[in-house]
Amino acid sequence: VPRVFSGMQPTSDSLHLGNYLGALRQWVAVQEDHDAFYCVVDLHAITVEVDPRVLRERTRRTAAQYLAAGVDPARSVVFVQSHAPEHAQLAWVLGCLTGFGEASRMTQFKDKSARGGAERSSVGLFTYPVLQAADILLYDADLVPVGEDQRQHLELTRDLAQRFNSRFGRTFVVPQAYILGGTAKIMDLQEPTAKMSKSAASPAGLVDLLDDPKVVAKRIRSAVTDTERDIRFDPEAKPGVSNLLGILAAFTGTTPQAAAEGYAGRGYGDLKADVADAVLAELQPFQERFTALLADPAELDRLLAAGAARAREVSAATLARVHDRVGFLPAA
Ligand code: ATP
Ligand code: MG
């Protein structure tokens, strides 16, 4: 059975529509015919400063959102990254195979460090893609369902797997990115040329999965469009309208082009109302499931502990293989 690995950072109280359409929905679909490992990547979340209490709460909330979206813990392994120490251990080994120049070319670091200045960014933010490669390679993942923004990191992961294999002998599966056209890059509603992001400067452009329905409707109603009046799918000329059509299409099971038909003679207001209805139809039951899951944190923690035990059966074996290959002396 082919393996799948993916993760999200607990960097916000709620995931957003981009996380959901770009990744989480695919996670639920592929678990049917793959061995799936879905991780809450808390090690990645401390690459930027965060309050410890907030991090702990967000880690539980992120896991609960995986489950509320339909990730089935009986089928898929759901766990927290810091519970499997092999992630950090493998990252060290891979970091020693990564060129400084190679790491410097990663655009996510450039984007994220641009805000406070690279000089003041953490070394952890710089080596983030190496840790991500370790996450994936530990589980011999064949497939990694992620959004478009992760394409470059997946390329690095493949390069590192191939480099290790050619230097030390075949050790890692070389994984493939699973990036779905159409929903792989959901744009910020206020700035439709930038991706929707948990760490966006302003929440006005986000639709969070756990937002109050009134807030969801308001955010969509206030989405930036353009000064024309026609509704067509044209991401270059009409990024705002096209983003809304992409969201509508994703929730109604059609293409953005097809979704645009039927709006002849109607305005942006009608489109936005339809987008809000389609989004809320799926979010409201999601929110109910989330609330029920979060009401029992002890059960959630038990589930994550069981997930970590299953994850470590795989990650410990991979790490032992790696340590042997690079020439570390056995501990016992
Ligand atoms: P942060 O701003 O903290 O990096 P994020 O919103 O980028 O948060 P991540 O936890 O980094 O979220 O990414 C989780 C998953 O969601 C990844 O697979 C990523 O590719 C995907 N993703 C993030 N933003 C979008 C988006 N706007 N459209 C589609 N997929 C996205
Ligand atoms: Mg991100």
Side-chain angles (χ1 to χ4, degrees):
V1 186
R3 288 264 176 84
V4 169
F5 177 92
S6 198
M8 309 229 185
Q9 301 187 77
T11 41
S12 157
D13 286 348
S14 173
L15 300 174
H16 55 70
L17 275 189
N19 302 135
Y20 184 67
L21 297 178
L24 190 49
R25 265 207 338 191
Q26 280 67 262
W27 296 10
V28 175
V30 300
Q31 72 180 343
E32 298 299 324
D33 47 9
H34 292 76
D35 271 341
F37 293 79
Y38 298 131
C39 189
V40 180
V41 293
D42 55 348
L43 300 184
H44 287 276
I46 65 164
T47 55
V48 294
E49 203 175 320
V50 56
D51 178 87
R53 264 181 311 132
V54 169
L55 176 62
R56 205 166 281 129
E57 177 67 15
R58 287 177 172 174
T59 299
R60 277 205 195 94
R61 292 174 69 94
T62 301
Q65 288 172 84
Y66 292 179
L67 304 176
V71 170
D72 174 4
R75 194 186 283 266
S76 301
V77 178
V78 178
F79 70 109
V80 175
Q81 188 184 27
S82 62
H83 292 176
E86 293 80 11
H87 290 249
Q89 291 175 282
L90 181 59
W92 176 259
V93 175
L94 295 178
C96 296
L97 292 185
T98 311
F100 184 81
E102 188 176 33
S104 305
R105 285 191 289 276
M106 295 295 122
T107 58
Q108 178 179 285
F109 176 77
K110 290 188 206 169
D111 294 344
K112 289 199 172 184
S113 63
R115 291 166 212 160
E119 205 50 49
R120 258 183 285 163
S121 296
S122 71
V123 173
L125 188 65
F126 184 70
T127 58
Y128 180 117
V130 176
L131 177 60
Q132 186 175 337
D135 299 339
I136 296 163
L137 299 181
L138 272 177
Y139 298 95
D140 289 332
D142 301 286
L143 218 59
V144 186
V146 286
E148 178 61 42
D149 62 316
Q150 294 305 312
R151 193 182 285 282
Q152 192 188 31
H153 290 172
L154 258 298
E155 270 313 307
L156 177 70
T157 302
R158 290 168 55 83
D159 288 346
L160 289 174
Q162 276 155 348
R163 193 171 306 160
F164 191 101
N165 287 351
S166 64
R167 192 173 304 176
F168 300 106
R170 212 191 156 296
T171 306
F172 293 125
V173 172
V174 181
Q176 217 136 36
Y178 179 66
I179 299 173
L180 217 58
T183 55
K185 194 168 185 186
I186 302 297
M187 299 302 189
D188 186 288
L189 298 184
Q190 287 300 313
E191 204 186 327
T193 51
K195 86 164 190 89
M196 192 178 280
S197 208
K198 288 192 234 99
S199 52
S202 146
L206 302 188
V207 174
D208 279 339
L209 304 185
L210 296 171
D211 272 341
D212 186 273
K214 287 200 195 67
V215 174
V216 171
K218 179 161 178 283
R219 295 263 169 87
I220 293 170
R221 209 164 48 235
S222 317
V224 164
T225 48
D226 52 55
T227 53
E228 299 178 356
R229 308 194 48 147
D230 61 322
I231 294 176
R232 64 191 154 85
F233 186 69
D234 182 349
E236 288 287 309
K238 300 170 78 70
V241 170
S242 300
N243 190 39
L244 291 172
L245 286 169
I247 294 168
L248 180 61
F251 281 104
T252 54
T254 179
T255 63
Q257 291 82 355
E261 288 166 20
Y263 284 101
R266 295 164 66 201
Y268 292 159
D270 286 353
L271 171 64
K272 288 172 170 178
D274 291 348
V275 172
D277 286 347
V279 169
L280 286 171
E282 198 154 322
L283 285 201
Q284 280 174 320
F286 168 88
Q287 294 186 357
E288 282 161 27
R289 291 189 292 271
F290 172 81
T291 305
L293 287 158
L294 205 70
D296 193 351
E299 172 59 20
L300 205 51
D301 289 355
R302 264 195 300 279
L303 211 135
L304 291 171
R310 286 167 70 194
R312 291 199 69 192
E313 284 174 23
V314 179
S315 61
T318 307
L319 188 74
R321 209 159 76 217
V322 167
H323 278 192
D324 179 59
R325 291 286 160 86
V326 301
F328 292 162
L329 200 61

